Amino acid sequence: MAMIEPKEAQRLILANANLLSRVQVDLIESLGLTLAEEIISNEDIPPFDNSAMDGYAVKSSDVASASKENPVKLRVQSGLAAGQAAQDGIESASAIRIMTGAPIPNGADAVIKQEDTDLGASEVLIFSSAKAGENIRRAGEDIATGEKVLGAGHPLRAAEIGILASLGRSKVKVFARPKVAILCTGDEIVPIDEPLKAGKIRNSNAYSLSAQVVAAGADLRGFSTVKDDLEATKAAISEGLSRADVLIITGGVSVGEYDFVKEAMESLGAQAIFWKVAQRPGMPLAFWLMGEKLVFGLPGNPVSTMVCFEEYVRPALLKMMGRESLFRPKVKAILEEDFKKRLNRHFFVRVIVKEEDGRYLARPTGPQGSGILKSMTLANGLATIPADVNLVKAGQEVIVHLTELPEDH
Ligand code: AMP
Ligand code: MG
C-alpha cells in the first residue's frame, strides 16, 4: 500500500467516523458529550422580576430627590428574603427591605442598594435616587419563553449543564460515547505490576492510551494483550471488536518478522484503508474498517502511539460523539532553536509553548526519539514541520497544535 500524507490519512479516517446513536443520560453524566436535541425553553429564566442587590425596594418617584446631603426618609413596610413570595404591594413613601434574588413587590420599580441607605429597620434614610428598573433582574432576561437555548451539536460543558439544570432538564439526549477497546501486541510487554525479566518491558502504552481515550470522553472498555502470534492476534482482535465500536491496536504494524497485525486483519476480512503515513513519529500507522467499526493500528513506540492517538484517533472519536470542532487550537509560534530533520516526512515535534508579549514561542523538549516518552511529559504542544523542509532556523515560525487545550468551538 502506498504511503500517504497526514492530511489524507486524517481525511480518510474522518470520512469513516460516523455518528453513533442518540441516548438519554442523566444531566450530570453529559459532561463532555454533545447535545443531540434542540432545547427550547418553555419558561422564563429568571422566572420572576427579582432584586439584584441586598437593599430596599422602592418606587423610584419617591426617591427622585434623594442624595447624601438630602436623604429621603421612607417607612419600612416589611421585609422579603430570597425564596419568599411577595405578599403585599408597596405603598407610597414606603420601602420594603429586600434581599438579592427576592421577588420585586408589586408597585416597586427600583432597588436601592443597602450601601446607599442608613440600613434603618422601621424607617430608612435613602441617600441616592434610582432610575426605574435599577437593580432589578427582569423575568426572562436570561432566557425567554420559546427561546432556542441550545442547538443539537452543542458541546456540553459546565455552563450548558448549568443552564439545562435551570430549565429543569434532569435528563438530556446526547450522542453516545464510542466504546473503545485497546489491544497491545508484543512478546516483550508484561503487566506493569509484574517483575521485569530479561528482555521484557512494561506495557506502558495500555495506560497512556487508556488515559487518552478517557480524556477524549470515550467509553473505555479495557485493554488486553497478545503475544506476537498470528492465530492469537486474530482471536484477540475478534474479541476486542466484540466489545467496542473502535479498536486501537498498538505494535505489530511495522515490517518486522513478528508484526502480525496486518496479516491478522486481512484474514479476518477487514477493509484496509491505508497503511503508512509520511510522518515521524508514527510512520507505520494503519487503519481498517470492519463493517461499521474502526480499527487503528498504532506503531508500538510509546511516543508514536500517543502522537497518532492525538492526531488521528481523537478527532475520529470526537466526530463519532457529534462534535463539530475536532481539532486542538493551532497557533503560529516562533521556534526558539534550530531544528534539523529528514526530508519527505512530516514531523510532529514535541515542544514547550509559551506566550510572551502577545506571541507564541516554542522550544523542542529535547531528544525526539519515538521511544522517549519523557518528551511527551514535557510538551504542551506538537509543532508540525512539513515534509519538504529539512531545517527550521531559530526565529522562524512553525504551526503548533496546542495539545493541552480543548478544541475551540
Ligand atoms: P512495534 O511497533 O511492535 O514494532 O514496537 C515498537 C517498539 O515499541 C518496540 O521497542 C516495543 O518494545 C515498543 N512497544 C510496543 N508495544 C509497547 C507497549 N504496549 N508499551 C510500551 N512499549 C511498547
Ligand atoms: Mg511488536
Side-chain angles (χ1 to χ4, degrees):
M1 264 186 141
M3 175 138 50
I4 62 173
E5 301 293 306
K7 270 214 148 34
E8 177 64 0
Q10 218 160 46
R11 190 190 68 75
L12 288 167
I13 290 167
L14 292 179
N16 288 293
N18 297 316
L19 271 184
L20 296 169
S21 55
R22 292 153 201 253
V23 291
Q24 182 152 293
V25 296
D26 286 343
L27 182 57
I28 198 65
E29 301 296 320
S30 71
L31 181 64
L33 298 181
T34 308
L35 196 58
E37 61 176 324
E38 191 166 76
I39 303 290
I40 310 275
S41 178
N42 47 24
E43 51 193 65
D44 282 341
I45 305 287
F48 48 86
D49 291 357
N50 67 92
S51 179
M53 291 283 174
D54 295 324
Y56 294 82
V58 298
K59 288 177 192 287
S60 57
S61 55
D62 283 344
V63 298
S65 65
S67 67
K68 187 96 201 128
E69 298 72 32
N70 292 301
V72 168
K73 187 190 283 182
L74 300 175
R75 181 178 74 89
V76 180
Q77 194 184 316
S78 53
L80 263 178
Q84 292 180 337
Q87 296 297 343
D88 32 39
I90 196 162
E91 290 155 24
S92 55
S94 301
I96 291 182
R97 180 82 169 111
I98 195 166
M99 299 299 146
T100 304
I104 301 296
N106 269 341
D109 66 352
V111 171
I112 305 292
K113 62 177 191 292
Q114 64 186 37
E115 293 81 350
D116 291 336
T117 74
D118 70 347
L119 271 174
S122 58
E123 284 180 336
V124 63
L125 289 177
I126 305 288
F127 299 130
S128 146
S129 63
K131 290 203 257 332
E134 198 157 319
N135 295 326
I136 294 179
R137 300 189 288 217
R138 291 290 174 203
E141 73 172 24
D142 184 2
I143 298 167
T145 304
E147 187 179 328
K148 178 179 157 185
V149 184
L150 297 169
H154 202 100
L156 293 164
R157 304 164 303 166
E160 285 76 14
I161 288 174
I163 230 165
L164 290 165
S166 74
L167 292 170
R169 305 289 297 249
S170 58
K171 304 262 182 200
V172 62
K173 262 199 191 134
V174 294
F175 293 104
R177 298 174 197 272
K179 298 194 241 340
V180 179
I182 295 168
L183 171 62
C184 299
T185 73
D187 285 348
E188 74 278 33
I189 56 173
V190 295
I192 63 169
D193 46 7
E194 278 182 15
L196 273 185
K197 297 205 182 94
K200 304 290 182 189
I201 59 166
R202 297 193 180 95
N203 184 3
S204 64
N205 286 350
Y207 290 84
S208 52
L209 265 179
S210 293
Q212 286 180 299
V213 168
V214 171
D219 178 4
L220 178 67
R221 293 298 171 109
F223 66 86
S224 50
T225 56
V226 67
K227 297 265 182 232
D228 291 320
D229 170 88
L230 180 60
E231 288 311 315
T233 302
K234 280 165 65 178
I237 289 171
S238 297
E239 192 280 324
L241 278 168
S242 72
R243 57 193 162 88
D245 305 305
V246 175
L247 177 64
I248 306 175
I249 306 172
T250 76
V253 285
S254 200
V255 291
E257 267 173 56
Y258 299 97
D259 290 333
F260 291 115
V261 173
K262 292 191 301 301
E263 202 179 329
M265 288 302 289
E266 195 175 316
S267 67
L268 289 170
Q271 181 189 351
I273 305 295
F274 66 78
W275 175 47
K276 289 196 203 162
V277 179
Q279 63 184 4
R280 185 175 283 177
M283 191 275 282
L285 175 65
F287 178 58
W288 300 267
L289 294 180
M290 194 72 149
E292 294 277 279
K293 303 190 175 190
L294 312 187
V295 182
F296 292 89
L298 310 189
N301 274 308
V303 177
S304 313
T305 295
M306 287 196 75
V307 169
C308 286
F309 180 93
E310 173 63 34
E311 294 288 327
Y312 299 100
V313 186
R314 183 175 181 277
L317 296 178
L318 296 184
K319 184 165 179 222
M320 295 171 87
M321 286 191 277
R323 292 283 188 86
E324 279 156 20
S325 294
L326 308 178
F327 301 104
R328 305 281 194 188
K330 290 185 176 70
V331 295
K332 280 188 182 151
I334 295 165
L335 205 62
E336 291 187 278
E337 29 184 273
D338 289 0
F339 189 83
K340 270 185 92 166
K341 67 181 266 297
R342 61 161 286 176
L343 281 173
N344 303 323
R345 292 283 185 277
H346 295 261
F347 270 47
F348 295 107
V349 183
R350 277 76 73 205
V351 291
I352 301 154
V353 189
K354 61 177 187 210
E355 212 206 292
E356 223 175 72
D357 304 329
R359 24 172 240 178
Y360 289 99
L361 303 177
R363 183 161 45 84
T365 54
Q368 295 284 315
S370 54
I372 298 185
L373 196 51
K374 201 169 64 184
S375 68
M376 292 295 287
T377 70
L378 296 170
N380 60 355
L382 292 171
T384 62
I385 305 190
D388 59 358
V389 171
N390 74 338
L391 172 66
V392 184
K393 298 284 273 174
Q396 287 183 327
E397 272 185 349
V398 289
I399 304 275
V400 178
H401 301 173
L402 297 175
T403 50
E404 297 299 299
L405 297 183
E407 55 298 325
D408 37 9
H409 63 266

